[in-house]
Amino acid sequence: AQSVAQPEDQVNVAEGNPLTVKCTYSVSGNPYLFWYVQYPNRGLQFLLKYITGDNLVKGSYGFEAEFNKSQTSFHLKKPSALVSDSALYFCAVRDLTSGNTPLVFGKGTRLSVIA
Amino acid sequence: EAGVTQFPSHSVIEKGQTVTLRCDPISGHDNLYWYRRVMGKEIKFLLHFVKESKQDESGMPNNRFLAERTGGTYSTLKVQPAELEDSGVYFCASSNEWRTGELFFGEGSRLTVL
């Protein structure tokens, strides 16, 4: 069975500093990985995805994520955090080689960027 | 282009009552998904429609939950009778391709069962 772990419930970072939101996954086949963001009172918005190819994926709002197969990780990063990045971030995975399996989400990490 | 819309945005009902949530996907998206998030927990998959057919309903918690997608357009999720543990935010999402297409989410319907 596929699963996602987001080990941190909350991440605090000062504005202008780099940020990292951690995600590790478990699948039996090849992973298809996503990051989504949820701003207050809004739905989830797609940030970026990894299917294959370059391990560093660039997405919306200056975010990027690095796929690391040996560590089964897909951490979300941004070089310089903005206060407006404060939101709830969800990592998700689908096992591409297990037929029609649903996208499985982690429990989310709340990012607070402090001015 | 209109996004995924959900109604109602918030519903407060008493235990034993019935609630029906509605989702209108993005036009042309054959794939429609229902997910639920209980406070502080992960977003859990409920079911997946391809057009009007249920492709995967493995995440439906029990037979108090009934999902339909008439004519392959909008979908409804009915909870009858509602229990306290059904409280949470119900998200609907749609996509044009189930395998690699990203999901587009609605803003969610918050259900509170008292």
Side-chain angles (χ1 to χ4, degrees), chain B residues 45-111:
Chain B
F45 168 79
L46 297 179
L47 89 161
H48 170 203
F49 283 101
V50 177
K51 297 184 179 179
E52 68 275 10
S53 299
K54 292 175 184 174
Q55 181 73 25
D56 181 356
E57 52 183 330
S58 61
M60 295 287 265
N62 51 60
N63 59 9
R64 295 186 293 103
F65 289 74
L66 175 63
E68 294 180 323
R69 191 181 182 193
T70 306
T73 54
Y74 70 91
S75 175
T76 58
L77 180 64
K78 180 190 286 188
V79 184
Q80 179 183 31
E83 298 289 343
L84 299 179
E85 65 264 25
D86 300 333
S87 296
V89 180
Y90 290 78
F91 290 104
C92 176
S94 71
S95 72
N96 59 358
E97 198 273 314
W98 74 265
R99 185 171 167 80
T100 59
E102 59 260 33
L103 274 60
F104 294 85
F105 280 83
E107 295 189 355
S109 291
R110 180 177 296 278
L111 174 63

Side-chain angles (χ1 to χ4, degrees), chain A residues 32 34 36 38 42-44 49 88 90 94 96 99-100 102-103 105-107, chain B residues 35 37 41-43 45 48 55-56 91 98-103 105-107:
Chain A
Y32 177 35
F34 287 97
Y36 280 84
Q38 185 183 20
R42 303 295 299 275
L44 277 73
K49 66 182 179 184
L88 192 55
F90 291 94
R94 174 184 290 137
L96 281 176
N100 185 14
L103 194 59
F105 285 83
K107 61 182 176 63
Chain B
Y35 282 84
R37 184 172 192 243
K41 301 288 183 65
E42 66 271 19
I43 299 172
F45 168 79
H48 170 203
Q55 181 73 25
D56 181 356
F91 290 104
W98 74 265
R99 185 171 167 80
T100 59
E102 59 260 33
L103 274 60
F105 280 83
E107 295 189 355

Side-chain angles (χ1 to χ4, degrees), chain A residues 15 27 92 98 108 115:
Chain A
E15 187 175 32
V27 296
S98 295

